[in-house]
Structure formats: C-alpha cells, structure tokens
Amino acid sequence: AFVAGHVITGVGFITTCVAVAATSSTRFSLIPRNSKATSNEVPEGAFSLNQRRALVIVAIIVSLIAWIWAFVLLGNSHSHPAYFVAGHVMVGLACICTSLIALVATIARQIRNDYSEKERNKWPKLVLLMGSISFVWGLFVILADSGSANGTTGYIMLGLGLVCYSISSKVILLAKIWRQEFKLANRIPMIPVLTALTCLFLAAFVFELATTHTDYFIPARVLVGLGAICFTLFSIVSILESGTSSK
C-alpha cells in the first residue's frame, strides 16, 4: 500500500502536467500560422505573457515537488525496502513531469510566436536527458541489485525512460518544423512506435523472469501498460504531424 500510494501520487503529478499541456494546446491552431510568419508579433487570440508563464510555472512546480518527494524517499531507503522502490519509481515519474515542461513551454511559446532558435535545441535536449537519466538509472539498479526484489524496480524505470523518449517525439517535431522545412518530419512519429515495441519486448522478457521469480510479476505488467502509453503517443504525434504539415 505504501508503494502503491506513492505511485498513484506520482501519476497524479503527471496528470497535472498533462492537463497543463492540454490547456496550452487549446490554441494550437495558431502554431502553423505563426510558423509561416516572418515577424515575431504576438498574434491575436494567443496567450498573454502572464498566461504563458503561468502554464510553464505550474509544470515546473509540479516537477520540483516530484523530484523532492523522490529524493526524500530515497534518503529513507535504508529504513525499509519500500522506500527504495517508491523512491526510484518516483524518480522516473519526475523525469516524465520534467519532460512535459519542455512540451508545455514549446507549445505555449510557439502559440505566442516568441519561440527562439536557442529553444529549438534546448527543449528537445531536456526531454532526451530526462529519458536517459531514467533509463540509465534503471540499468544501474538492475545491475546493482539483480539478486533482490529491489532490482526489479529498474525495469519500471526503463519503461518510464522510454515514455520520456516518446514525449520527445512531440517536442522534436515542433522544434524541427518551426519556420523551416524538415523532410523527415513524417518519420518522427516512428519514435513512439519504437519505444512501445521496446517496452513490449522488455515486458515479454520480464514475464519470462516472472515464471521463476514472483518479484517480476508487477514490473512485467507495468511495462505492458507503459508500452500502451507509448503507442498512444504515436497517434497523437501522427495527428500533430498532419496538422502542422506544410503540404
């Protein structure tokens, strides 16, 4: 119950960030128009400066809470294994929240037509960094504690890292097609497909481990769910690519 409660709380953090991203997307129709414009004037109907800042700040605050919560749990991991598991899962969830900051900032700034060249590289790198942190950390946990129940948490972190990579497809797509032609734009939706397949292959592997070690029972099923999330992002990115296509 302790671990489940913290996981649900972490999912709540992600839900909040997703809600902020959805709110920032309510005026998404302005992005294709702004992308074709040559000036940096704020279009009519765009978010005000304070609204744009508020959207990003909310996502940042939620992410900070998730990170602080994660390290508090990890700091107490010596007292009980449940803290170790909950802390590492919360780290992966915090990585997703941080990735969503990049998505919110990208959408909100492009809607206001003040998206800069510096941000074209900054936000995608942030998401890729978060995915790499969760993925590499997960590998470290697996290799360091492969003989204990704690090691199974690493597989969940791998899946959460793959979700971050799936989110990166949206951020990368918006960055690459902003005021320039990107011939491989229609290939970017393949990123969440690859991450989904990777999640499912990992799940199949962990299911095999679960036949001999019951500790892998939950991670195997979590990976299937994370794979489904990645595949859902494929449809979203495909719609996004179609909506922003210059053809």
Side-chain angles (χ1 to χ4, degrees):
F2 178 85
V3 175
H6 283 83
V7 170
I8 292 172
T9 303
V11 172
F13 292 150
I14 293 177
T15 303
T16 303
C17 291
V18 170
V20 175
T23 302
S24 66
S25 301
T26 53
R27 303 175 191 182
F28 190 86
S29 59
L30 292 174
I31 291 181
R33 190 191 314 168
N34 293 340
S35 182
K36 296 176 183 178
T38 55
S39 65
N40 291 321
E41 294 182 3
V42 179
E44 183 180 353
F47 294 118
S48 67
L49 181 60
N50 289 333
Q51 287 175 328
R52 191 260 289 169
R53 287 175 175 171
L55 289 169
V56 177
I57 288 173
V58 170
I60 291 174
I61 290 174
V62 173
S63 299
L64 284 175
I65 294 173
W67 279 110
I68 293 171
W69 200 318
F71 283 109
V72 168
L73 290 170
L74 291 175
N76 292 287
S77 58
H78 62 278
S79 60
H80 195 279
Y83 284 93
F84 181 93
V85 175
H88 281 83
V89 173
M90 188 65 77
V91 167
L93 296 174
C95 287
I96 294 177
C97 289
T98 307
S99 299
L100 289 169
I101 293 175
L103 180 60
V104 171
T106 298
I107 294 174
R109 292 187 72 90
Q110 288 192 1
I111 287 174
R112 273 189 54 81
N113 201 23
D114 57 3
Y115 188 77
S116 65
E117 284 296 320
K118 183 179 179 181
E119 290 175 301
R120 191 192 297 273
N121 294 319
K122 180 176 70 173
W123 296 123
K125 286 180 180 178
L126 175 62
V127 185
L128 293 174
L129 175 63
M130 289 299 106
S132 299
I133 288 175
S134 183
F135 198 88
V136 173
W137 198 330
L139 286 175
F140 179 78
V141 171
I142 293 171
L143 296 175
D145 291 304
S146 58
S148 68
N150 290 341
T152 62
T153 310
Y155 289 99
I156 297 177
M157 293 191 73
L158 294 183
L160 294 172
L162 290 170
V163 172
C164 290
Y165 289 138
S166 297
I167 295 172
S168 74
S169 61
K170 298 181 69 175
V171 181
I172 292 172
L173 178 61
L174 288 171
K176 291 297 183 182
I177 63 176
W178 178 256
R179 294 187 175 174
Q180 66 180 17
E181 183 180 355
F182 186 64
K183 295 181 179 179
L184 297 178
N186 59 350
R187 299 291 184 266
I188 292 179
M190 293 304 296
I191 294 176
V193 173
L194 295 175
T195 56
L197 290 175
T198 304
C199 264
L200 294 177
F201 281 130
L202 273 174
F205 173 72
V206 179
F207 267 115
E208 284 296 316
L209 294 176
T211 59
T212 55
H213 302 281
T214 56
D215 293 332
Y216 292 95
F217 180 87
I218 294 176
R221 284 151 179 79
V222 171
L223 281 171
V224 172
L226 294 176
I229 292 174
C230 292
F231 198 75
T232 301
L233 288 170
F234 160 70
S235 61
I236 297 174
V237 177
S238 296
I239 294 171
L240 180 64
E241 191 275 328
S242 299
T244 55
S245 176
S246 59
K247 295 181 180 180

